[in-house]
Amino acid sequence: MLARRLPAIVRFFVQVAIAVVAAILIWTVILMLFEEQFIYLPSKYPEGMYSEVERLRGLEDCWFTAEDGVKLHAWFAKSDSALATLVMAHGNAGNLSHRLPVIRALRDAGFNVLMFDYRGYGRSDGRPNEVGIYRDGRAAFDYAVRRAEVDSNRVIVWGTSLGGAVAVDVALHRPVAGLILESTFSSAKDVARVAYPFLPAQFFLRTKLDSFSKIPLISVPILFMHGSEDSIIPLSLGRKLYEAASQPKEFYLIPGADHNDTFWVGGNEYLERIRRFAQSVVQADTMQQ
């Protein structure tokens, strides 16, 4: 009886194996064809919280151009007697209007804040891609240091999630005073390995976002921030990038925070850690002068 059933059982498992392999191949092809649509999730103007802008007095619309001619939009919030200027690269979804509470809190904490939208996000022109968002980050830094109210020796670049890769690239090519990396990762391949563990997606990605190979070349102070319960970018990837970085560096673990609520969960301590980091950066710059 068993001998008669064996061929049918074998055929069943062969069919299941073929179906699994076919599904893996199909999803891998889909990821390859629509790679950028999986990575970049922009909200175009007027989607977002633009109606809330009036609540933040003194917020200035800014326009500047990347090196390839793409017109970019940003907001500048000025703080009187600013400790430093923060040039902020946000995550892969939404647009700068979704970060209004963060901009307000940082301005009130004593920082000039320049938050910009990548190409294809908000009111910025173009379509996002890896080379393009690096250009956007450099253009935002260049614009910030040209402003009269900005001390070019006190510009800290801040990247959140996807923006971490942009901030690392800016720090590699521009004279930043310090670097803040929040909820970010080592490389796109590492993220793909975690997000799609059953797919060979990491072997076919064209997008690199390889901060891991760049960060050892950066010598300015770096503050890493990561939620202990991050469900999108695992804490292990933030730690991996931290371990690869050169000194001086520090790691701020935010207990209980997920990927998108570090600011809310961290509260006053979150803002205080940023102020202390900025003060240490400024003091180091003063001593070198």
Side-chain angles (χ1 to χ4, degrees), residues 65-72 119 125-127 129 131-136 138-139:
T65 304
E67 60 196 65
D68 58 348
V70 175
K71 188 177 181 181
L72 304 171
R119 58 191 62 205
D125 293 342
R127 294 181 58 183
N129 58 72
V131 173
I133 62 174
Y134 292 156
R135 289 171 172 166
D136 300 343
R138 294 193 292 268

Side-chain angles (χ1 to χ4, degrees), residues 97-114:
S97 74
H98 295 102
R99 281 82 181 179
L100 264 173
V102 178
I103 297 173
R104 180 186 297 111
L106 291 171
R107 195 276 308 273
D108 292 345
F111 294 99
N112 293 328
V113 182
L114 180 74

Side-chain angles (χ1 to χ4, degrees), residues 231-250:
S231 58
I232 296 178
I233 303 298
L235 176 60
S236 60
L237 296 188
R239 289 282 191 187
K240 180 177 180 178
L241 190 62
Y242 169 78
E243 294 298 335
S246 302
Q247 293 286 359
K249 61 184 178 180
E250 56 185 285

